[in-house]
Amino acid sequence: MKLAADNAATSNQFLASLTDAVKVQTVAQGSVSTALASGTAVALDTTALKTQTQAITSANLTSTQAGVVDKTAPAAPAFGLRTDSGVAGDGITNVGAVNVTGLEAGATWEYSSNAGATWVKGTGTSFTLAEGPYAANAVQVRQTDAAGNVGVAAKAAAAITVDSSAAAPSLALANDTGASVTDGITKVGTVNVAGLEAGATWEYNASGTWVAGTGGSFTLADGAYASVQVRQTDVAGNLSAASKAAAITVDNTIAKPTVALVGDSGLNLSTAASDVTRSYSVDGGAASASYVAPQVNGAHTVVVTDLDTAGNSASASLSFTLDRKFVGPTLTLTDNGVSATDGITNAAGLTISTPLAGFTRSIAVDDKTVSSYVAPTTDGPHTVKVTDTDAAGNVASSSLSFTLDTVVPTATVVAPSAPNSAGALTYTINFSEAVTGFDASDIAVVNGKAGAVTAISASQYTVAVTPTSSTSPVSLAVSVPAAGANDIAGNASTAAAQVLQSVLYGTSGTTGTAGNDILTVSTAQDLVYLGTGTDTVVLASAAGSTATATDDVYGFGSGDQLDLRALLSGYTSSGVADAGIGFVELKNLTLTQGASTTTVKFDVSFDAASISGSKITGGVIDLAYDYAKVSALKATSPSYTDSGGDTSAIWQLALGNPANGKIVLTGDPLTTATNPIIDTAGKTLSVTLTVSGLVSTFPVGLESVAAGGVTSVTTANGVSNNVDVGITKTAGAVVTIGNTGTL
């Protein structure tokens, strides 16, 4: 209902509260009217006015206000796609925005995308359709005017499709004729395009420029294309992503081979391209990868065919007539060398083909004609020439050159100068010439095990041999039997003389565990290997030693000890206060470097004993440290303590050349019943020496007549390491026990 009012504010309030059907319950003096028809004018007074929905007081209206009832439905609005991005008028677009026009002032509006099943309130003058197809009449718009009248819905008579993306198409060779159906090499340049949408346009890019395509394929010219792609634009105007790039080579040409006859049946061919596979067919036979010349006299045809990776093929043929009326001799050498084809052999046997009937033959060895072939016996190069002559005077010759070598390689085993870090002995095997085929199986070892053989050169090899664990001397024997290797001519090597060494090998030396071994050396020269445990080296006897019977001991360190009881025969241990396994022990040797001086410490222990039987002289058991072995550095401030309280009577410092410190006997043990270092209580001397300088080795040991037996202590900045110990078996016979790597 519309009301014409002279008071705009009051009229608006009034309009907001009225419905289309108004009943005036009280007008003027109480008369009552019925529902008002559309367009009916109503005169109002200030008396109370009531409607169906709201009471209107005299304060709301003036006495002259009038109202108009409006029941007319508003007209249908108009709407259309904001952008028809495809073909104009086809209703297909990639933009779903829809513009709405024809809305009355103050009206509200709404739209439906499912033919009015549901309605969505609109705002502004547009709405957006989601991606997808919409059938005819599915999209509708209607408005409701200010009086609440709902208008007729406007409908999209044609279908609408919102499509905002296009899928990338794909491409593939129509025919990959190459060696592999996936290598992209072909002689047919047609490329098929798949995955195109109906009505879409498409284009391809093979050389950096996009070219419009037609139908469902395009054709590439001869050439190599690193990256071929396609893309499409659908009817909505969407441009798809490019397809996965493909590398394609179009090759529809191949060079024809050339073939010519060489000699009776050989072929001279043009060089095939790198991507060409060549095959041969002789007299219509099956194709093969290599040419085999026909051997039968008569007409022959050879077809040579080249096939490239793109599948292109080209052939050439050659026909000829084979007429072999004269065949020269063939010579075959009996080559016994490492290579059957190098012509170096220790036997000069020769096989010569039989001459044809009616032929005469002559043979020359080193340009000297002989009646028949007899193998030469002189080492060096030789040439044999055989000539056949037929009845017509045709001549054919064949020659063969070779080198005869009958010298047999000799082998020699060289004993090692020192063990390696693992305690094994590295032997060297020298051959008189270069050999092959030599390995660990060609080495014979007794009381030990050979490791891998290392080739220093073709004529020199080394092998690491680990001795068998033993606590008394065993004979370690290493030899190379005959035929252990062959030279290039096939001559087998002679046997190498056996190398023998007397060896003691502690259990900890083989297992790496801290075994505590007691190793007893003999009167002969022994090699002694200690492990990581507390080990003892025992002298078996003081008799029978000579200056050449020098024992070598490796791995002697702090905690290890020497059993020297054999040096003091005639003294009897009392069995009390025993400080170790021997009657007298030299042990616990250490060396520590300070800022400018080096401290050397060691203990000398004598068991409790009494004197009986024959005596020994003091010179045999003098304890010495030898300045000459430490670069002329001299010890200062020597000090020691011993369990018996003796000092100067036992130790003296000699300053001669060499200047030695000594523990000496005072008094004659042959005429006295006591001795300052041999008594029933036993003694231990703890000696401390200060060297005025930094040294890494310091010899100490039992002095001999030759003043040679010494012990070396090695260190690295305060850490005590293995030592070399020198002892005397008898006067003048020095046993040198060396540190690892030292003999």
Side-chain angles (χ1 to χ4, degrees), residues 671-731:
T671 59
T672 61
T674 60
N675 186 281
I677 59 174
I678 305 297
D679 60 29
T680 56
K683 290 183 179 296
T684 297
L685 299 179
S686 297
V687 180
T688 300
L689 303 176
T690 302
V691 178
S692 56
L694 299 179
V695 296
S696 59
T697 63
F698 191 91
V700 66
L702 293 178
E703 186 183 44
S704 70
V705 173
V710 294
T711 296
S712 296
V713 183
T714 61
T715 188
N717 295 328
V719 179
S720 296
N721 295 314
N722 294 341
V723 302
D724 296 342
V725 177
I727 59 176
T728 301
K729 292 182 177 179
T730 60

Side-chain angles (χ1 to χ4, degrees), residues 106 320 328 387-388 502 557 633 689:
F320 58 90
T387 303
D388 285 353
S502 182
L633 293 173
L689 303 176

